[in-house]
């Protein structure tokens, strides 16, 4: 299926690795001109080379911290107009609630919530003026099923759902859509260390640790396995395309079906 992205420009934040890089690669392979952001020039250059090798010859990058107002301004100046905005930037940690400091809460909100708020504020008016655009938030199933050891993280993901749904209301009657994708636990660079920190026996083989994690911490999971970054990217690429024109204001789980799909 042709996803009709050859004339579209897409900005993906936090895309030097993991889900963000997979999304950028998938969009580029469908013909979109991809712009990625990152804070480390070496990682940014490596990611751009990766995307170009995969077929996205037009891929470029912006060196900026999308979690700050200054970084968002740099990004908006470097790319004044985009057709697709993927708010992927995010961080997580496991921490006992009483040990979560005000600084921890503030940091997670700046990175996970305000990065998307600022860039959506920068790009939504132009999308509405042109009567076409896509804004996609990479949230998490934790925004609905709150892990007791990640309450601050989960709260930011719930906030993303509120922001995305509210923005979708602002697009009423237009060809602009705003949606959120809620991946389950996804295989990424830091996930093994996270899983080992949760395990009864951190030195056990990783397959055993994964099985234990899903049997205890994520027993409601339908897949009962890690989601691959490419699987999330496939869903995001569809949502970014003109083919998804009737999907707006939705929160779509990247594992286990759909939630709150309201057009």
């Amino acid at each position: 299926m042709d996803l009709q992205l050859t004339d579209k420009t897409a900005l993906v934040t936090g895309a030097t690795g993991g889900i963000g890089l997979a999304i950028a690669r998938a969009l580029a392979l469908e013909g979109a001109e991809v712009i990625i952001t990152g804070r480390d020039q070496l990682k940014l250059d490596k990611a751009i080379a990766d995307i170009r090798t995969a077929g996205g010859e037009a891929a470029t990058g912006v060196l900026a911290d999308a979690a700050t107002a200054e970084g968002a301004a740099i990004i908006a100046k470097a790319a004044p107009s985009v057709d697709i905005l993927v708010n992927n930037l995010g961080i997580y940690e496991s921490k006992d609630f009483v040990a979560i400091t005000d600084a921890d809460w503030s940091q997670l909100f700046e990175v996970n919530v305000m990065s998307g708020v600022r860039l959506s504020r920068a790009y939504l008016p132009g999308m509405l003026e042109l009567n076409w655009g896509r804004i996609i938030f990479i949230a998490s199933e934790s925004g609905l099923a709150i892990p007791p050891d990640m309450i601050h993280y989960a709260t930011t993901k719930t906030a993303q759902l509120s922001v995305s749904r509210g923005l979708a209301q602002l697009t009423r009657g237009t060809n602009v859509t705003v949606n959120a994708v809620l991946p389950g636990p996804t295989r990424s660079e830091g996930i093994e260390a996270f899983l080992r920190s949760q395990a009864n026996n951190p030195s056990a083989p990783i397959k055993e640790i994964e099985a234990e994690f899903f049997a205890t911490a994520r027993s409601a999971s339908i897949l009962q396995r890690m989601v691959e970054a490419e699987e999330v990217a496939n869903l995001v690429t569809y949502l970014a395309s003109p083919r998804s024109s009737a999907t707006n204001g939705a929160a779509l789980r990247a594992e286990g079906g759909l939630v709150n799909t309201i057009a």
Side-chain angles (χ1 to χ4, degrees):
M1 177 184 290
D2 178 9
L3 292 182
Q4 303 173 354
L5 289 172
T6 53
D7 62 340
K8 306 300 183 187
T9 300
L11 173 66
V12 186
T13 62
T16 58
I19 292 174
L21 179 55
I23 291 170
R25 191 187 299 118
L27 289 169
L29 286 173
E30 289 294 332
E33 181 180 334
V34 174
I35 306 164
I36 65 172
T37 73
R39 297 180 302 167
D40 183 293
Q41 188 67 62
L42 291 178
K43 289 183 178 180
L44 193 62
D45 291 343
K46 183 178 178 181
I48 292 169
D50 178 291
I51 298 166
R52 290 178 178 174
T53 299
E57 292 86 357
T60 58
V62 179
L63 183 66
D65 184 356
T68 67
E70 295 77 11
I74 291 170
I75 294 166
K77 183 177 180 180
S81 175
V82 298
D83 301 297
I84 300 158
L85 169 63
V86 182
N87 290 312
N88 168 75
L89 181 64
I91 57 174
Y92 67 93
E93 66 174 349
S94 174
K95 202 165 189 178
D96 184 81
F97 174 70
V98 298
I100 303 172
T101 66
D102 286 2
D104 294 332
W105 281 97
S106 295
Q107 182 188 24
L108 262 75
F109 261 88
E110 284 294 315
V111 177
N112 295 356
V113 181
M114 291 309 299
S115 62
V117 167
R118 293 184 180 112
L119 290 176
S120 297
R121 189 167 57 207
Y123 291 116
L124 180 61
M127 292 179 181
L128 292 174
E129 183 177 350
L130 294 173
N131 195 30
W132 201 93
R134 299 285 185 265
I135 297 177
I136 302 167
F137 287 81
I138 307 303
S140 168
E141 64 166 9
S142 294
L144 298 175
I146 315 300
D149 62 322
M150 301 175 72
I151 292 174
H152 54 337
Y153 168 76
T155 303
T156 65
K157 293 303 176 177
T158 305
Q160 285 184 317
L161 301 183
S162 295
V163 173
S164 63
R165 179 63 187 175
L167 293 181
Q169 299 276 36
L170 299 179
T171 70
R172 188 183 299 272
T174 75
N175 292 314
V176 179
T177 67
V178 185
N179 294 291
V181 173
L182 287 66
T186 304
R187 199 177 307 283
S188 61
E189 185 177 337
I191 196 66
E192 182 173 334
F194 171 75
L195 291 176
R196 290 191 182 280
S197 73
Q198 305 283 301
N200 287 324
N201 178 12
S203 61
I206 189 61
K207 287 187 177 181
E208 292 182 15
I209 290 176
E210 283 189 25
E212 176 193 334
F213 177 78
F214 282 99
T216 56
R218 296 294 187 276
S219 59
S221 168
I222 294 175
L223 290 182
Q224 285 292 297
R225 66 167 174 83
M226 303 296 292
V227 178
E228 301 298 333
E230 290 73 19
E231 293 175 309
V232 180
N234 290 338
L235 177 56
V236 173
T237 303
Y238 165 72
L239 288 175
S241 78
R243 300 284 189 184
S244 69
S245 55
T247 305
N248 195 13
L252 295 93
R253 290 187 66 179
E255 87 97 294
L258 307 181
V259 176
N260 191 33
T261 52
I262 303 172

